[in-house]
Each structure stands twice: as structure tokens, then as C-alpha cells.
Amino acid sequence: MFFCFFLTALSFQWFCIYTFRSQLACKVSRGSKQLMGSKEAFRRIIFCVLLLLCVSYKCLTSEVNTTQLAVLKVDASPQHAQKIPETLFGIFFEEINHAGAGGIWAELVSNRGFEAGGPNTPSSIDPWSIIGNESVISVATDRSSCFSRNIIALRMEVLCGDCQAGGVGIYNPGFWGMNIEDGKNYSLVMYAKSLENTELTVSLTSSDGLQNLSSATIQVASTSNWTKLEQKLVAKGTNRTSRLQITTNKKGVIWLDQISLMPSDTYKGHGFRKELVSMLLDLKPQFMRFPGGCFVEGQWLRNAFRWRESVGPWEERPGHFGDVWGYWTDDGLGYYEFLQLSEDLGAAPIWVFNNGFSHNEEINTTAIAPFDILDSLEFARGSTNSTWGSLRVAMGHPEPFPVKYVTIGNEDCTKKFYHGNYLKFHSAIREAYPDIQIISNCDGSSKPLDHPADIYDFHVYGDSNTLFSMRNKFDSTPRNGTKAFVSEYAVSSNGVGRGTLLASLAEAAFLTGLEKNSDVVQMASYAPLFMNDNDRSWNPAAVVFNSWKQYGSPSYWMQTIFRESSGAVLHPVTINSMYSNSLAASAITWKASNSSFLRVKIVNIGSNPVNLIVSTTGLEALVNMRKSTITILTSKNLSDENSFSKPTNVVPVTRELPNAGEEMFAFLGPYSFTSFDLALGQQKHVS
């Protein structure tokens, strides 16, 4: 206890000397101009007294961990300010963890075209199943579809003339159950063919078929041609694990193909789940990198993402098996939809394309041509009269998509033919689209690249110690070289759980380092973005969801505190403390409507609380205490997570900051991320 009081007195004396010297230096620098009036002197005295009381109180209540001392100096003068790139923070969307299929893409039917079982028939129709036993119904795939790019269809033969109550047929459970909600409309589209007049009953039911939420009867006329059938279904009840049933009581054969069920209330009618889009909008992403990641490459090239096969009418898209993450996607969320989602988010699209590599294969530079990527850019940016631009128009988007960034490959720098392939693509893109920024897979943070590039890609995963230590990664990067795109970062190992407080703190510290080095870091995004709770192939993720609920991990909420940084003004900061190895900080000035704020962020990743002095110089405006706030992200335990049952267990809490000022005292709890938003009012008048 004696040591505690000694430390308190020492800190009080130290701060008052610091304050006196600051006043003296200010007076000397201003010469005869008396800036420190009696009111200011009185305010500083009161501040010293309050500091003494606060430090004493915290010292008395700190029974286990020693309260540390720190001074955070912020230089807010315009001459030392630096503009942060408008694109600094965005999102990276990869088709992983069922992020798209069974995720943000609202299609409720899984394997809607029966293509997932492969081209050889008969094939598996999983997750479709039959209603009735094999003595009354027989189903098998064949190659009779009317769509040339996906020729598999389902042949269903009903053997009973007087079938069981409710009929026999097939059902689809969607992606771990369909979320059907009372009063909502659902649009069913399917293709059918029958050589005899028949009728089908389409129903939305509970997973066991006992609860009927909606049903309708559809007449199928006798014809040798395929017929497109459409039906609106209105739910009369709610069930979170529903299924779609297609049944009949009539004996005979009917073929079915391309069966789609979409909720009618998708975001802007574009096919995206509203609640998941809302979470993305709350991040204010300035760019969206897509569609991968390893999804772009595949274990084998035959399973790589191919943009041509993902555009045009959805019925004609063949889909493909994503062999890296182990599931089929119908590619309803295709190249066009990724561009549309970017536009809906107000984010610049960053198109990552395959340049001849899978995880197990390489295409020799002599055998590769850049026509595919040029066609993809024509689709996005081409005129209405161009070959691929006209397809974009036909899909409903006459105006070009503003694609200004492309990444040549994903994590391919060490591949034998990467440099040769890269240069081929780079030359072709630069000639056709000189304004497009081209991103290389090779790391340029330590030494210059040996090939032309506007930006280089940088990925970092590891434990919390790794991410925290990486906050200084770009401090020594050459300032006049190629800019960095930290397109994938996350704490991903050693007790990360399903996304913990500790992970978010280490990542926050890393991001303060990116802010401070934003003269050489152009962009950054967390990975992965989404995770269906039923598919945790890569853990953790920023947003976790199932068919009807979602929550943000601590890492998601951490990112919301950085959402105003893009395009803001960066200010130099210094930390003076014997505890500085556990602290990381940054400061920006940002604007909201007609208001401006000085945001000072500081991470305390250590186990000790900190008595913090924030001292700001160079402000040209007065601090408005009434509009100033403090936001804290913390929890009781480092391993605390969010979940469906406790979605707000670890979230930022904002409150008023009554002692806001150019010099203020604050208490940082252990394991915390604190953001001070000092509202800036009228300009100072200096005589």
C-alpha cells in the first residue's frame, strides 16, 4: 500500500511538472502573446487535483494488477497531418463456409439443377429425397435437360394409381433447413415436362412434412417440350427448418429441372439476404475483393471459378464443385452478382481472377492467353454494343460497373510460371484499360518488386502475439515504392475459439499500424467475412449466421471502430510509458455530416489497467464536451465470444465523455480497446 501511495504522489508530481513545462513552452513560443489566461491556469490546476484523486482511487482498488501510467501525445497540427486513402478499409468476400450458397445469396434450394452429382447418370441428387417408398415412386437423373450447359434433369416416375394421402414426390431441405416466415412471399420457378396431363402440388412444410405452411397446385400440360412454371407461395406460419415438397397423386412420368425458391424481400430485389447486407453496410466498406481466395484457384483447374459460366440466365449456369472448401455451388452468386453487391454496398469492386494455377497445377506461360480476363472486363465496363457488355445489359445493368482494380491470381507468387503469366496479363490489361490498378501476388514490403505493379498483395494470419507484433510491420517499408493491399488478415490460431476478445484486440492493434502507415498501405480487409454456423471450414469469421439469425464476432465489432478511417486525416501519436509494449494507438480527424471529430484509439492488450493522460496539441478548433463520446470494446475474459444465445456479449459500448478536452485523464481497463471521439466545435481565436 505504501508503494501505491508513493506511485500516486510521484505520478501527480510528474504530471504537474509536465503541465507546467507545456505552459512555459507555449508562452515562450508565443513571445509576448499571453495565451494561458487565468481561466486556463485554473483549469489545469483542477485537472491536476482530479488526476490525483483518480489515480489514488484506481490505485486503492487495484488489488491484483499494478496500475500502469502512460501519456499519449497527439499532434493534431495541420502541418503534420496526412490524408488516409479513401480505400483503406473494405471487405473480402470468398465463397467459403457457405458464405454465398446458403448464405448471403438468398436461394433456398440446394442443388436446384440436379448437377451436383456430376455429369454421369444416374447420379446422386443429394440433398433431394423422395416422399414415399420405392414401391410407389422411382427417381433418377438423366441427360434430358433443355439447357445445353447443364444437361442433367430428374426423371420421376409415379407407380401408384391411388397414392398415399398427400401424394408422393420429392423434397429439398435447402441448406440445413429453409427459413420460412409467416406472411412472407416466396417465388417458385421450375421447369417440367410430361407426356400426359398431370398436376403437381408444391408445398412449404416443416422438416418432417407434418406442418403445412403453404401449398399450391400447378397444372402440367402434356408436351414433349420443357415448360417454365412459376408460382407465388405465401407462408401461413413460421418454421426455421422447413423444406420444399413437390408431390403428385397421378401415375405417370414427369421430368423436373432447375427448381428455384427465392424470398421476395431480398435486398433491393437483387437476391441478397437483407440482414446480412445490413451488417456489411454497417462496416462502410470502401471496396469488396471477390470471389477468393482459394476459391478462385481450386485444388484442380477443372474446379476453379470460371466467370463465363457464372453469368447469363441462372437456369443456364452449370455450377461447379468448389473442391478447396468441399461443396457444390450453383453459381447463382456469380460474377455479375458480385459486381452488383459491390455497387449496392458503395464499394469499389476488386476482381481476383485465375491466371493459370490451381493448388496442384500450373499452365505454362507459352500456353496461356489473356483473352478471358479481357472479356470479363468488357462484361463489366464494355459498351452496350460490345459482345460481353450487351450481356450485362440483358441481365439488367445498362451502365458499366466501375472495375478499377484487378488481382492477378491468389497467393501464386512462388509458382514457377507466375511471373511469366503475370507479365502477359499485365501487358494486355494495361494496353486495353490503362486506368485499371493491377495487383501482384508478390510481397513488396521488404524489397522492391522485380515486375511492374500498382499494388502488391499481403496476407497475414497467426496467433494474437503475431498480429500485435505486426503493428510495426510497415514502419520500415520504402515510402516511394509499390503500395500494399493487406487483403487477408486475422488471428486464426492458438485459442482463437470462435472469435475472441483477445483476437479482436490484437487485430485492432495491427490496424492502428496500418493507419499510421497508410502512405504505403492502400487497402486492408479481414478474412474470412462470413461463416454459416453449419460449415466452419475456416474459423473464425467476422459474421456468423444460420438460416434466420446472425451475429458479429468481436473482430467484426472491432472493425466498426475503424469504419470512419478511410479518407480521414491521420495525426502523429507517441506513447510514453514503461508499459508501451502492451499498447497501440492512432489518431484521426473525421467528419460526419456537418460535424468533425478527433478520434483517438488505443489498445491495451495487457493484463494491467492504465492511468492514461491524453495530451493533444495543434487543434485549430475547440473541443465540444457535450457531443464528445468514449467507446470501449472489452469483456470479463480474454476468451469471451459472441454467439446466437449471447450475440452482444462482446460489443463496443459508447457513452458520453464529460471530461473531453485537449488534455484529459482516462482509465484503460485491462484487455480493452478504447476510442475517444472529441467533437470539434468553433475555431479558436488567437489574438
Side-chain angles (χ1 to χ4, degrees):
M1 187 62 69
F2 171 78
F3 174 75
C4 187
F5 280 113
F6 172 76
L7 186 62
T8 301
L10 183 62
S11 65
F12 172 70
Q13 180 185 32
W14 172 59
F15 176 73
C16 289
I17 290 173
Y18 163 77
T19 303
F20 173 75
R21 286 180 176 173
S22 298
Q23 292 182 6
L24 182 60
C26 184
K27 290 178 180 179
V28 170
S29 66
R30 298 291 185 177
S32 60
K33 295 181 180 179
Q34 187 67 25
L35 299 180
M36 309 302 293
S38 59
K39 290 184 178 180
E40 178 67 11
F42 178 74
R43 183 180 69 81
R44 288 179 178 268
I45 292 171
I46 293 298
F47 184 77
C48 278
V49 173
L50 290 175
L51 174 64
L52 176 61
L53 293 174
C54 289
V55 173
S56 299
Y57 173 75
K58 294 300 179 183
C59 194
L60 286 169
T61 56
S62 178
E63 297 179 359
V64 179
N65 296 321
T66 302
T67 301
Q68 302 292 323
L69 300 171
V71 174
L72 175 60
K73 297 180 181 180
V74 180
D75 181 358
S77 60
Q79 59 266 34
H80 294 139
Q82 172 187 306
K83 186 73 160 56
I84 294 176
E86 298 285 347
T87 56
L88 185 57
F89 292 125
I91 57 175
F92 164 42
F93 190 111
E94 179 168 14
E95 180 60 270
I96 182 176
N97 300 329
H98 278 84
I104 198 171
W105 187 243
E107 173 64 65
L108 294 174
V109 176
S110 177
N111 189 19
R112 65 187 177 189
F114 304 101
E115 306 289 332
N120 299 317
T121 58
S123 57
S124 169
I125 63 172
D126 185 67
W128 293 90
S129 296
I130 63 171
I131 300 171
N133 60 53
E134 294 180 355
S135 66
V136 294
I137 183 173
S138 173
V139 298
T141 57
D142 64 20
R143 300 168 66 87
S144 64
S145 175
C146 61
F147 301 110
S148 60
R149 291 203 296 176
N150 44 7
I151 61 174
I152 305 300
L154 183 73
R155 180 184 184 275
M156 183 172 76
E157 182 175 5
V158 178
L159 305 173
C160 52
D162 184 18
C163 298
Q164 64 191 46
V168 297
I170 57 175
Y171 72 86
N172 188 290
F175 301 89
W176 301 282
M178 300 178 180
N179 177 38
I180 303 300
E181 297 184 343
D182 186 37
K184 288 192 174 182
N185 297 320
Y186 299 85
S187 298
L188 175 71
V189 178
M190 64 181 182
Y191 289 77
K193 180 178 71 171
S194 177
L195 300 180
E196 300 176 355
N197 290 332
T198 189
E199 66 178 28
L200 297 172
T201 299
V202 292
S203 307
L204 300 177
T205 74
S206 57
S207 59
D208 58 8
L210 298 179
Q211 179 189 13
N212 193 314
L213 303 169
S214 183
S215 64
T217 300
I218 302 176
Q219 301 297 322
V220 181
S222 172
T223 176
S224 60
N225 296 320
W226 286 90
T227 302
K228 182 178 183 179
L229 305 172
E230 300 181 75
Q231 180 67 48
K232 296 291 184 183
L233 296 171
V234 181
K236 297 180 180 178
T238 295
N239 190 293
R240 307 300 187 184
T241 56
S242 305
R243 70 188 195 187
L244 169 67
Q245 294 187 172
I246 303 173
T247 57
T248 184
N249 282 303
K250 293 200 171 184
K251 187 175 182 178
V253 177
I254 186 168
W255 284 264
L256 300 170
D257 196 14
Q258 296 302 328
I259 303 168
S260 170
L261 182 69
M262 291 282 281
S264 60
D265 63 341
T266 62
Y267 187 75
K268 293 187 175 182
H270 291 157
F272 309 115
R273 276 177 61 174
K274 281 184 174 180
E275 65 277 17
L276 296 183
V277 172
S278 177
M279 294 197 73
L280 299 187
L281 288 170
D282 284 345
L283 292 175
K284 299 181 181 179
Q286 298 303 302
F287 64 83
M288 188 179 88
R289 177 182 184 242
F290 68 88
C294 298
F295 182 73
V296 170
E297 305 162 290
Q299 295 286 6
W300 302 96
L301 283 171
R302 66 177 178 270
N303 294 320
F305 177 77
R306 302 185 184 278
W307 75 270
R308 294 174 190 268
E309 297 179 354
S310 74
V311 296
W314 62 266
E315 302 97 324
E316 299 177 10
R317 302 182 190 183
H320 77 287
F321 178 68
D323 59 355
V324 175
W325 306 121
Y327 60 91
W328 175 266
T329 170
D330 291 313
D331 286 333
L333 178 60
Y335 181 52
Y336 174 87
E337 288 75 21
F338 280 118
L339 292 170
Q340 184 64 70
L341 179 58
S342 298
E343 181 177 273
D344 289 348
L345 296 172
I350 300 180
W351 163 222
V352 183
F353 64 88
N354 188 297
N355 66 321
F357 302 98
S358 70
H359 286 185
N360 296 291
E361 301 157 292
E362 297 188 36
I363 296 179
N364 192 301
T365 302
T366 59
I368 203 164
F371 302 120
D372 189 66
I373 177 59
L374 294 180
D375 287 347
S376 75
L377 294 173
E378 182 180 280
F379 177 90
R381 296 181 37 158
S383 70
T384 58
N385 298 322
S386 63
T387 301
W388 289 101
S390 62
L391 177 57
R392 182 195 70 242
V393 174
M395 294 182 70
H397 204 282
E399 295 300 319
F401 289 107
V403 176
K404 296 182 180 179
Y405 301 92
V406 296
T407 301
I408 301 178
N410 174 71
E411 297 179 345
D412 294 327
C413 184
T414 58
K415 303 287 180 64
K416 179 179 179 181
F417 297 111
Y418 180 73
H419 283 70
N421 293 6
Y422 174 91
L423 291 173
K424 232 178 188 181
F425 284 103
H426 183 279
S427 177
I429 296 168
R430 182 64 80 228
E431 180 179 352
Y433 300 94
D435 63 311
I436 286 183
Q437 299 279 289
I438 300 174
I439 304 170
S440 167
N441 287 178
C442 300
D443 180 9
S445 62
S446 301
K447 61 181 181 179
L449 298 178
D450 61 359
H451 54 273
D454 299 294
I455 302 170
Y456 65 87
D457 204 358
F458 185 88
H459 298 178
V460 55
Y461 295 101
D463 60 18
S464 57
N465 289 331
T466 299
L467 267 289
F468 187 79
S469 65
M470 290 286 284
R471 68 193 186 281
N472 301 319
K473 165 64 181 175
F474 296 95
D475 288 0
S476 57
T477 295
R479 312 326 270 183
N480 57 354
T482 307
K483 306 298 183 185
F485 177 17
V486 185
S487 66
E488 299 181 32
Y489 74 85
V491 172
S492 59
S493 60
N494 289 1
V496 71
R498 296 190 170 191
T500 62
L501 170 65
L502 175 59
S504 69
L505 297 180
E507 292 156 358
F510 177 64
L511 294 192
T512 63
L514 298 189
E515 283 183 323
K516 290 190 288 185
N517 286 288
S518 57
D519 57 327
V520 295
V521 178
Q522 186 78 14
M523 296 176 279
S525 50
Y526 179 91
L529 180 62
F530 280 130
M531 176 191 293
N532 189 310
D533 192 50
N534 298 283
D535 178 9
R536 291 180 171 268
S537 298
W538 187 285
N539 188 67
V543 178
V544 183
F545 61 87
N546 57 22
S547 68
W548 62 286
K549 290 189 296 186
Q550 62 285 324
Y551 67 85
S553 69
S555 295
Y556 169 86
W557 291 108
M558 175 275 298
Q559 291 177 69
T560 65
I561 301 176
F562 286 87
R563 61 190 170 194
E564 282 82 19
S565 294
S566 299
V569 175
L570 178 72
H571 302 293
V573 301
T574 57
I575 300 174
N576 294 326
S577 176
M578 295 178 64
Y579 191 62
S580 59
N581 287 338
S582 295
L583 303 175
S586 66
I588 63 169
T589 299
W590 64 281
K591 294 183 178 180
S593 300
N594 296 322
S595 301
S596 294
F597 296 86
L598 173 67
R599 174 171 292 175
V600 181
K601 300 188 290 289
I602 183 164
V603 177
N604 177 13
I605 203 168
S607 59
N608 295 326
V610 176
N611 284 321
L612 178 70
I613 300 163
V614 181
S615 178
T616 305
T617 58
L619 275 180
E620 295 186 329
L622 299 174
V623 175
N624 185 335
M625 289 188 292
R626 290 183 300 173
K627 294 184 178 181
S628 298
T629 59
I630 180 173
T631 300
I632 303 174
L633 178 67
T634 190
S635 191
K636 293 180 179 179
N637 300 300
L638 273 176
S639 59
D640 281 353
E641 306 173 346
N642 292 332
S643 63
F644 289 123
S645 59
K646 294 182 178 180
T648 59
N649 190 40
V650 186
V651 297
V653 176
T654 300
R655 56 179 173 80
E656 294 179 348
L657 185 60
N659 67 324
E662 294 179 50
E663 293 178 356
M664 59 183 184
F665 170 81
F667 176 75
L668 304 180
Y671 309 125
S672 62
F673 178 29
T674 304
S675 175
F676 306 95
D677 271 308
L678 306 184
L680 303 180
Q682 62 186 20
Q683 293 291 304
K684 293 180 180 178
H685 298 288
V686 180
S687 56

